[in-house]
Amino acid sequence: MEKTKQFSKAGLLGYFVKGSVGLFVACIAASIVMTALNTVIPKVIGFTIDCVLGDVPVPDEYGGIVGMFGGIERLKRDIWLIALVTVGIALVTLAFRYCSTYFNHRADNTLMRRMRNSLFTHIQRLPLSWHSENNTGDIIQRCTSDADTISNFVSGQLVSLVRIMLMMTLSLVFMFATDVKLAAVAAAFIPPIIGYSLFYFVKAHKAFKTCDEQEGVLSTYAQENLTGVRVVRAFGRERYERDKFEKQNSYYTGLWVRLNKFMALYWTSSDFVAALQLLFIIVLGTVFCVNGNMTAGDLVAFISYNTMMIWPVRQLGRIISNLSKANVSLGRLAEVMNAEEEVYGADEGGLSGDIVFDGVGFEYEADKPVLKGVSFTVPQGTTLGIVGGTGSGKSTVACLMDGLYAPTSGRITIGGRDLTEIPPATLRRNVGFVMQEGYIYSRTIAENIAIAVDDGSAERVAHAAETACLDGNVEGFANGYDTVVGERGVTLSGGQKQRVAIARTLIRGTPYMIFDDSLSAVDSDTDAKIRAQLRKECKDVTTVIIAHRLTTVMHADNIIVMDGGRVAEQGSHKQLLEKNGIYKRIYDLQMALPDELKEEAAHA
């Protein structure tokens, strides 16, 4: 295992944003210019009211600009010039708004692409144990909903934060330049509003996390139900599954309803505070105007700047609130990205030699051993059969051979090399593994077989299918190997799916092959044909066959019987029968059933 780089939340956000920083900077720059231009318009309006429509003398700082337009008398006579300037400023502002939006959307798409690629690539490298501990629905929810939350926050709120801070600063500067006392009253409301937002941020954090987790549970329910729809239909459990989903959905909806009520209280109360602040400004400003301490134009400009300030302050509260959701989502993605990757390594070429289990112990959960001191040897080029009851550890032995798990104790070697020292890329290039439930993709039969190799020519696909005794079935399909199977191979029978999985492994031509109960869904006659083909095509391959049906392993050079996580018996078919132990009892039970099994046993 490789120690994956551990990301803090801020570090992970920086990692995701890498590649879109330039676009976000361009967006922020355009936003800064847009904000600065917005603050000019109230000044123009105030000047027009006082100096053009009124009789207030032109301030010295406006003298040069007024002179450019022919003096104040010209502006009084041709007031449309001021309107033209205002429209011009608005159009330039609109152009920079477009640039800001354009760069923001490009940056957002770049960020989202990087997040998706990083998450998918990292998850592909995580060990099987991690996938066993995490529900598929929850993983999907993190990679979609949580990623969207972060993307929306960065592009929608974090970028706006710069514009908001600039607008607040410029507004306050102009307000204090207009009237210090009135500006002080306006500014006095800012700390309470921000503090109020922080209070709600702390309160809402836990609720947002709970909602996110329960959305993952809901996604898991839906994913499991949709992938297992045939089982649900077969057992008539539609009502049960619907009720289970509705119960979780109601609980999840209830969480959001309570959270939204909480946030509605925040927005309503903050609206009241903002309205109260504006009321104070209008009343006090009117009094100042009546007393001659402020002109009408200054009051209009001041109210405009106050509006430009108070809404960003409230927006700041919203950003802080959304920061809670983004913080939760970032934490959930950090849990994924901080999981330790498997060191896949470079393919070192071929493997050869005996497979040796030396006192191997393994446990999925602490203090719950699945294997206990398992020892056996599979000489190169021979076949090992493994039988035993359900839960005896047969499939665990197969997973350990393929390096999907590491032994808790003892060691496993191939050709004298410890499995932990062999790069997984090398190991899985040389070990073909047919699992109990071979996953079938919603593609053509040919694509499902060729997916295990880079060069899946039609000839190689056909040869692998022939060895797996699948060719006869494929010829009966309308489109042959180009027949598209349904999701998870729903249009194929259990035996056909197993044979597709076998053909997928055979096409790789690996020197080691593991068949984990992969012939359980085929009939005895087909089982015998497949084994005959395997002996013919894979005579120099080191083979491990796990099965419940003894006829599948009778031909093996050596057979081990698993019982309670230990090797209870070991030997050839004849030797095990003579021991009169577990193997003999299983043999007697199976041979007492159909006559075809007796004939198969005699033939073997």
Side-chain angles (χ1 to χ4, degrees), residues 351-358 360 375-384 386 397-398 400-402 411-417 419 422 427 430-432 511-514 541-544 558 570:
L351 286 178
S352 62
D354 302 346
I355 301 175
V356 178
F357 272 56
D358 183 11
V360 172
S375 297
F376 61 82
T377 299
V378 188
Q380 183 175 359
T382 65
T383 299
L384 171 71
I386 304 178
V397 168
L400 290 175
M401 282 185 186
D402 199 35
R411 62 196 298 259
I412 305 171
T413 61
I414 294 182
R417 293 183 64 187
L419 231 60
I422 302 174
L427 186 63
N430 288 273
V431 178
Y512 298 89
M513 287 192 184
I514 304 170
V541 174
T542 305
T543 308
V544 177
N558 187 35
Q570 185 171 178

Side-chain angles (χ1 to χ4, degrees), residues 117 237 362 377 474:
N117 289 342
R237 300 293 285 172
F362 180 76
T377 299
V474 174

